[in-house]
Every structure is written in C-alpha cells, then in structure tokens.
Amino acid sequence: MKKIVVGNWKMDPLGLKESQKILKGVLKGVSRIGNVDVIVCPPFLYTVPLVIKTRSKKFFFGAQDVAPFESGSHTGEISASQLADAGVSYVVIGHSERRALGETSDVVSQKVEQALASGMTAVLCIGEGERDEVNGKHLEFIKKELFESLKRTDKEELGHIVIAYEPIWAIGKEEAMKPQQIHEMSIFIKRVLIERYGADAIEKVRIIYGGSVTPDNVEEIVAQGHVDGVLPGRASRDPEQFSEIVKKVSEL
Ligand code: PGA
C-alpha cells in the first residue's frame, strides 16, 4: 500500500500569508517525492485561496473536519460536497481535540458516511486517553471506538478509509509512543477490522500513527511500528520538518 503523510495544521497558522509561505516550502520540499501520498490540512478558511494558487499533483488538500449532514440549515457547518467542490480530497474525522468538544463516535460515523459519499477519503482518528497496562482496558476502548465510528461504513468502502491511531496521551508531547507499542496497536486494530469486516478487510485500509511525530522519530515509528504513514501536527507547520518527514517515509 502506498504510504501516506497527513499534516494537520490545526488552528495555526494565524494568517493567509503565513499559510502560503508554509505551503510553498512544503511544495518545494516534496517536489521530487512521488511514492508517498502527501496531505496538507489547513484551517477551512485558507483552503480555497491555497487551492486556487496551487497547481501541484504532488500532494492533496485535506480538511480538519466536516459536517455530519448532507445540506440544509446547519449554521457554521461545512458539508462534504462543499469541501469536495473546493478541491479537498481527504478529511480528518474524529480527531481527539474534536471528540473532547463532545463529538461522539455516532456523529463521527455520520461524518465518515458524508465524506465517502462525496468521493473523499476519510482519515478516521481513534485513540485512548490512557493505557491500562494491567487489564488492557484501552484495547476495549479502541475496539468500541472503531466499531462505532465505522458503523455506517461498508466493506466495499474501506479503500477510502485511513485509520489514524493517535493515543491522546502522546499528542503534543516531547516523545511519541514507542514503536513496539505502535506495532502492537496496529496489529490489534487489524484484528478488530477483521472481526468487523472479514479476513480480507485489512488489504485496503491504511493504518497510520499520530502523536509527537518528528523528523527524528518518524523512521522508527513507520519501520518498527509497521504503520503505513504518520499524522504530524506541530511538525507539519514547519515546511522543513514536514518535508523531511515525507522524505524519510518515502525512503522506507
Ligand atoms: P502533534 O499532533 O504531532 O503536535 O503531537 C498530532 C495530532 O494531534 O494529530
């Protein structure tokens, strides 16, 4: 499966000029790399001007969220078809920072449904708040979150799903999760997918890791963690760091 790097800019940068500068740096940095899907997710507001100014087949635009509804009276929301129309092809859904605002897995499943119906790929985020080394309760948590978030997704649609495993306790920290633990979790997620969809379910789903990914740790995360890519937050807002991450992933 083709590897993937999804950069989540979150609520930074603070202006369009700064956004353009970052994107320009990213484009320069990844211009020679062809074997990795590179996704940049700016804040909604900057997406359209960035798309208009960017003619590159080297990467895709993503959104950080999408409405759970198709259309209608939903003040402040942006629909999947509006995003697709604006040139967005990936959507991060169910990020822990959105779940922390009250977004349930049921709502997440509706958002995934909307994204896929509009022809986009959903980057579905899951992750436990803490690990339970004694009783393994975090595994039950992940299983439930995954089952519920995918409850409106059919097996045939799995090729348009990327699962971003992002343990909340490792986001925005100094250190990422240990590669061995990432490997264990990616195996566990595959097992859950097989239970839900059958043995061949995992052939098309890419599983990636997010949480304090940097150019220094990305190689061991992907190689020893046996994941199909990464989802950096902070490092994605620095064009040099982001390009370095993409480059390292492309060399694995
Ligand atoms: P971080 O963010 O790379 O800054 O830890 C990752 C994320 O929240 O997706």
PDB file of all heavy atoms in Angstrom, residues 4 36 48 56 73-74 99 111 115 137 160 162 176 188 191 204 215 224 230 242:
ATOM      1  N   ILE A   4       1.444   7.189   3.439  1.00  0.00           N
ATOM      2  CA  ILE A   4       0.725   8.469   3.474  1.00  0.00           C
ATOM      3  C   ILE A   4       1.202   9.319   4.661  1.00  0.00           C
ATOM      4  O   ILE A   4       1.432   8.790   5.757  1.00  0.00           O
ATOM      5  CB  ILE A   4      -0.815   8.208   3.511  1.00  0.00           C
ATOM      6  CG1 ILE A   4      -1.593   9.514   3.618  1.00  0.00           C
ATOM      7  CG2 ILE A   4      -1.215   7.268   4.610  1.00  0.00           C
ATOM      8  CD1 ILE A   4      -3.090   9.335   3.389  1.00  0.00           C
ATOM      9  N   VAL A  36       4.754   8.705  -2.023  1.00  0.00           N
ATOM     10  CA  VAL A  36       4.008   8.885  -0.758  1.00  0.00           C
ATOM     11  C   VAL A  36       2.831   9.823  -1.042  1.00  0.00           C
ATOM     12  O   VAL A  36       2.988  10.821  -1.746  1.00  0.00           O
ATOM     13  CB  VAL A  36       4.907   9.545   0.321  1.00  0.00           C
ATOM     14  CG1 VAL A  36       4.133   9.795   1.603  1.00  0.00           C
ATOM     15  CG2 VAL A  36       6.128   8.698   0.603  1.00  0.00           C
ATOM     16  N   VAL A  48      -9.489  27.422   0.308  1.00  0.00           N
ATOM     17  CA  VAL A  48      -9.827  27.826  -1.064  1.00  0.00           C
ATOM     18  C   VAL A  48      -8.728  28.683  -1.699  1.00  0.00           C
ATOM     19  O   VAL A  48      -8.239  28.341  -2.780  1.00  0.00           O
ATOM     20  CB  VAL A  48     -11.211  28.515  -1.119  1.00  0.00           C
ATOM     21  CG1 VAL A  48     -11.484  29.047  -2.522  1.00  0.00           C
ATOM     22  CG2 VAL A  48     -12.288  27.534  -0.700  1.00  0.00           C
ATOM     23  N   SER A  56      -0.392  21.596  -8.156  1.00  0.00           N
ATOM     24  CA  SER A  56       0.600  20.549  -7.950  1.00  0.00           C
ATOM     25  C   SER A  56      -0.094  19.208  -7.858  1.00  0.00           C
ATOM     26  O   SER A  56      -1.125  19.075  -7.209  1.00  0.00           O
ATOM     27  CB  SER A  56       1.376  20.803  -6.665  1.00  0.00           C
ATOM     28  OG  SER A  56       2.204  19.708  -6.389  1.00  0.00           O
ATOM     29  N   SER A  73     -30.092  23.571   6.921  1.00  0.00           N
ATOM     30  CA  SER A  73     -29.954  24.636   7.921  1.00  0.00           C
ATOM     31  C   SER A  73     -29.065  24.209   9.081  1.00  0.00           C
ATOM     32  O   SER A  73     -29.547  23.753  10.122  1.00  0.00           O
ATOM     33  CB  SER A  73     -31.343  25.012   8.453  1.00  0.00           C
ATOM     34  OG  SER A  73     -32.172  25.352   7.379  1.00  0.00           O
ATOM     35  N   HIS A  74     -27.777  24.315   8.890  1.00  0.00           N
ATOM     36  CA  HIS A  74     -26.821  23.928   9.935  1.00  0.00           C
ATOM     37  C   HIS A  74     -25.767  25.023  10.031  1.00  0.00           C
ATOM     38  O   HIS A  74     -24.692  24.922   9.427  1.00  0.00           O
ATOM     39  CB  HIS A  74     -26.192  22.576   9.608  1.00  0.00           C
ATOM     40  CG  HIS A  74     -27.198  21.489   9.416  1.00  0.00           C
ATOM     41  ND1 HIS A  74     -27.917  20.954  10.470  1.00  0.00           N
ATOM     42  CD2 HIS A  74     -27.635  20.878   8.296  1.00  0.00           C
ATOM     43  CE1 HIS A  74     -28.745  20.032  10.005  1.00  0.00           C
ATOM     44  NE2 HIS A  74     -28.607  19.966   8.694  1.00  0.00           N
ATOM     45  N   ARG A  99     -13.327  15.318  19.517  1.00  0.00           N
ATOM     46  CA  ARG A  99     -14.078  14.425  20.414  1.00  0.00           C
ATOM     47  C   ARG A  99     -14.143  15.047  21.805  1.00  0.00           C
ATOM     48  O   ARG A  99     -15.140  14.908  22.509  1.00  0.00           O
ATOM     49  CB  ARG A  99     -13.429  13.042  20.467  1.00  0.00           C
ATOM     50  CG  ARG A  99     -13.570  12.236  19.154  1.00  0.00           C
ATOM     51  CD  ARG A  99     -12.954  10.859  19.327  1.00  0.00           C
ATOM     52  NE  ARG A  99     -12.841  10.081  18.113  1.00  0.00           N
ATOM     53  CZ  ARG A  99     -13.683   9.129  17.718  1.00  0.00           C
ATOM     54  NH1 ARG A  99     -14.749   8.843  18.445  1.00  0.00           N
ATOM     55  NH2 ARG A  99     -13.480   8.459  16.612  1.00  0.00           N
ATOM     56  N   LYS A 111     -20.139  11.526   9.866  1.00  0.00           N
ATOM     57  CA  LYS A 111     -19.187  12.349   9.110  1.00  0.00           C
ATOM     58  C   LYS A 111     -18.421  11.491   8.097  1.00  0.00           C
ATOM     59  O   LYS A 111     -18.189  11.909   6.965  1.00  0.00           O
ATOM     60  CB  LYS A 111     -18.215  13.044  10.073  1.00  0.00           C
ATOM     61  CG  LYS A 111     -18.903  14.081  10.943  1.00  0.00           C
ATOM     62  CD  LYS A 111     -17.933  14.849  11.815  1.00  0.00           C
ATOM     63  CE  LYS A 111     -18.658  15.991  12.529  1.00  0.00           C
ATOM     64  NZ  LYS A 111     -17.766  16.915  13.213  1.00  0.00           N
ATOM     65  N   ALA A 115     -18.368  12.028   4.082  1.00  0.00           N
ATOM     66  CA  ALA A 115     -17.096  12.192   3.353  1.00  0.00           C
ATOM     67  C   ALA A 115     -17.011  11.193   2.203  1.00  0.00           C
ATOM     68  O   ALA A 115     -16.679  11.558   1.064  1.00  0.00           O
ATOM     69  CB  ALA A 115     -15.918  12.012   4.306  1.00  0.00           C
ATOM     70  N   LYS A 137      -7.622  -2.258  29.452  1.00  0.00           N
ATOM     71  CA  LYS A 137      -8.932  -1.631  29.176  1.00  0.00           C
ATOM     72  C   LYS A 137      -8.875  -0.717  27.956  1.00  0.00           C
ATOM     73  O   LYS A 137      -9.898  -0.484  27.305  1.00  0.00           O
ATOM     74  CB  LYS A 137      -9.384  -0.821  30.398  1.00  0.00           C
ATOM     75  CG  LYS A 137      -9.969  -1.678  31.494  1.00  0.00           C
ATOM     76  CD  LYS A 137     -10.861  -0.836  32.417  1.00  0.00           C
ATOM     77  CE  LYS A 137     -11.414  -1.670  33.549  1.00  0.00           C
ATOM     78  NZ  LYS A 137     -10.920  -1.284  34.857  1.00  0.00           N
ATOM     79  N   HIS A 160     -11.317   3.693   1.014  1.00  0.00           N
ATOM     80  CA  HIS A 160     -11.332   5.156   1.190  1.00  0.00           C
ATOM     81  C   HIS A 160     -11.230   5.554   2.663  1.00  0.00           C
ATOM     82  O   HIS A 160     -11.603   6.653   3.046  1.00  0.00           O
ATOM     83  CB  HIS A 160     -12.609   5.736   0.573  1.00  0.00           C
ATOM     84  CG  HIS A 160     -12.694   5.478  -0.888  1.00  0.00           C
ATOM     85  ND1 HIS A 160     -11.949   6.162  -1.799  1.00  0.00           N
ATOM     86  CD2 HIS A 160     -13.394   4.559  -1.584  1.00  0.00           C
ATOM     87  CE1 HIS A 160     -12.194   5.693  -3.012  1.00  0.00           C
ATOM     88  NE2 HIS A 160     -13.065   4.720  -2.900  1.00  0.00           N
ATOM     89  N   VAL A 162      -8.624   5.748   5.962  1.00  0.00           N
ATOM     90  CA  VAL A 162      -7.293   5.671   6.574  1.00  0.00           C
ATOM     91  C   VAL A 162      -7.558   5.740   8.069  1.00  0.00           C
ATOM     92  O   VAL A 162      -8.289   6.631   8.528  1.00  0.00           O
ATOM     93  CB  VAL A 162      -6.405   6.872   6.161  1.00  0.00           C
ATOM     94  CG1 VAL A 162      -5.072   6.847   6.910  1.00  0.00           C
ATOM     95  CG2 VAL A 162      -6.177   6.891   4.646  1.00  0.00           C
ATOM     96  N   ALA A 176       7.070  10.507  21.325  1.00  0.00           N
ATOM     97  CA  ALA A 176       5.975   9.735  20.729  1.00  0.00           C
ATOM     98  C   ALA A 176       5.834   8.397  21.461  1.00  0.00           C
ATOM     99  O   ALA A 176       6.652   8.058  22.318  1.00  0.00           O
ATOM    100  CB  ALA A 176       6.281   9.486  19.259  1.00  0.00           C
ATOM    101  N   PHE A 188      -3.560  -4.939  16.713  1.00  0.00           N
ATOM    102  CA  PHE A 188      -4.865  -5.008  17.379  1.00  0.00           C
ATOM    103  C   PHE A 188      -5.967  -4.389  16.503  1.00  0.00           C
ATOM    104  O   PHE A 188      -7.055  -4.943  16.343  1.00  0.00           O
ATOM    105  CB  PHE A 188      -4.805  -4.300  18.741  1.00  0.00           C
ATOM    106  CG  PHE A 188      -6.116  -4.336  19.467  1.00  0.00           C
ATOM    107  CD1 PHE A 188      -6.561  -5.503  20.071  1.00  0.00           C
ATOM    108  CD2 PHE A 188      -6.928  -3.209  19.515  1.00  0.00           C
ATOM    109  CE1 PHE A 188      -7.796  -5.546  20.714  1.00  0.00           C
ATOM    110  CE2 PHE A 188      -8.160  -3.249  20.155  1.00  0.00           C
ATOM    111  CZ  PHE A 188      -8.591  -4.419  20.762  1.00  0.00           C
ATOM    112  N   ARG A 191      -6.915  -6.668  13.794  1.00  0.00           N
ATOM    113  CA  ARG A 191      -7.764  -7.759  14.292  1.00  0.00           C
ATOM    114  C   ARG A 191      -9.216  -7.310  14.432  1.00  0.00           C
ATOM    115  O   ARG A 191     -10.146  -8.034  14.104  1.00  0.00           O
ATOM    116  CB  ARG A 191      -7.248  -8.255  15.649  1.00  0.00           C
ATOM    117  CG  ARG A 191      -6.115  -9.221  15.498  1.00  0.00           C
ATOM    118  CD  ARG A 191      -6.228 -10.335  16.556  1.00  0.00           C
ATOM    119  NE  ARG A 191      -4.998 -10.378  17.305  1.00  0.00           N
ATOM    120  CZ  ARG A 191      -4.879 -10.094  18.604  1.00  0.00           C
ATOM    121  NH1 ARG A 191      -5.934  -9.791  19.309  1.00  0.00           N
ATOM    122  NH2 ARG A 191      -3.724 -10.142  19.182  1.00  0.00           N
ATOM    123  N   LYS A 204      -7.027  -3.128   2.198  1.00  0.00           N
ATOM    124  CA  LYS A 204      -7.154  -1.791   1.617  1.00  0.00           C
ATOM    125  C   LYS A 204      -7.058  -0.647   2.617  1.00  0.00           C
ATOM    126  O   LYS A 204      -6.931   0.505   2.230  1.00  0.00           O
ATOM    127  CB  LYS A 204      -8.513  -1.693   0.922  1.00  0.00           C
ATOM    128  CG  LYS A 204      -8.592  -2.510  -0.343  1.00  0.00           C
ATOM    129  CD  LYS A 204      -9.850  -2.141  -1.081  1.00  0.00           C
ATOM    130  CE  LYS A 204     -10.193  -3.141  -2.135  1.00  0.00           C
ATOM    131  NZ  LYS A 204     -11.631  -3.208  -2.329  1.00  0.00           N
ATOM    132  N   PRO A 215      10.891  14.607  12.516  1.00  0.00           N
ATOM    133  CA  PRO A 215      11.826  14.004  11.560  1.00  0.00           C
ATOM    134  C   PRO A 215      12.764  12.995  12.249  1.00  0.00           C
ATOM    135  O   PRO A 215      13.256  12.075  11.614  1.00  0.00           O
ATOM    136  CB  PRO A 215      12.619  15.207  11.034  1.00  0.00           C
ATOM    137  CG  PRO A 215      11.730  16.385  11.248  1.00  0.00           C
ATOM    138  CD  PRO A 215      10.970  16.091  12.502  1.00  0.00           C
ATOM    139  N   GLN A 224       9.503   0.256  12.497  1.00  0.00           N
ATOM    140  CA  GLN A 224       9.335  -0.714  13.596  1.00  0.00           C
ATOM    141  C   GLN A 224       7.894  -0.763  14.107  1.00  0.00           C
ATOM    142  O   GLN A 224       7.473  -1.741  14.710  1.00  0.00           O
ATOM    143  CB  GLN A 224      10.261  -0.367  14.758  1.00  0.00           C
ATOM    144  CG  GLN A 224      11.735  -0.483  14.388  1.00  0.00           C
ATOM    145  CD  GLN A 224      12.623   0.219  15.416  1.00  0.00           C
ATOM    146  OE1 GLN A 224      12.325   0.253  16.606  1.00  0.00           O
ATOM    147  NE2 GLN A 224      13.711   0.801  14.964  1.00  0.00           N
ATOM    148  N   VAL A 230       2.141   8.518   8.784  1.00  0.00           N
ATOM    149  CA  VAL A 230       2.029   9.292  10.037  1.00  0.00           C
ATOM    150  C   VAL A 230       1.142  10.514   9.857  1.00  0.00           C
ATOM    151  O   VAL A 230       0.869  10.952   8.734  1.00  0.00           O
ATOM    152  CB  VAL A 230       3.431   9.762  10.526  1.00  0.00           C
ATOM    153  CG1 VAL A 230       4.222   8.611  11.102  1.00  0.00           C
ATOM    154  CG2 VAL A 230       4.200  10.466   9.412  1.00  0.00           C
ATOM    155  N   PHE A 242       8.348  19.057   7.978  1.00  0.00           N
ATOM    156  CA  PHE A 242       7.327  18.243   7.299  1.00  0.00           C
ATOM    157  C   PHE A 242       7.930  17.555   6.079  1.00  0.00           C
ATOM    158  O   PHE A 242       7.712  16.350   5.864  1.00  0.00           O
ATOM    159  CB  PHE A 242       6.136  19.129   6.916  1.00  0.00           C
ATOM    160  CG  PHE A 242       4.973  18.357   6.358  1.00  0.00           C
ATOM    161  CD1 PHE A 242       4.247  17.475   7.155  1.00  0.00           C
ATOM    162  CD2 PHE A 242       4.585  18.504   5.026  1.00  0.00           C
ATOM    163  CE1 PHE A 242       3.159  16.767   6.654  1.00  0.00           C
ATOM    164  CE2 PHE A 242       3.504  17.795   4.516  1.00  0.00           C
ATOM    165  CZ  PHE A 242       2.798  16.928   5.325  1.00  0.00           C
TER     166      PHE A 242
END
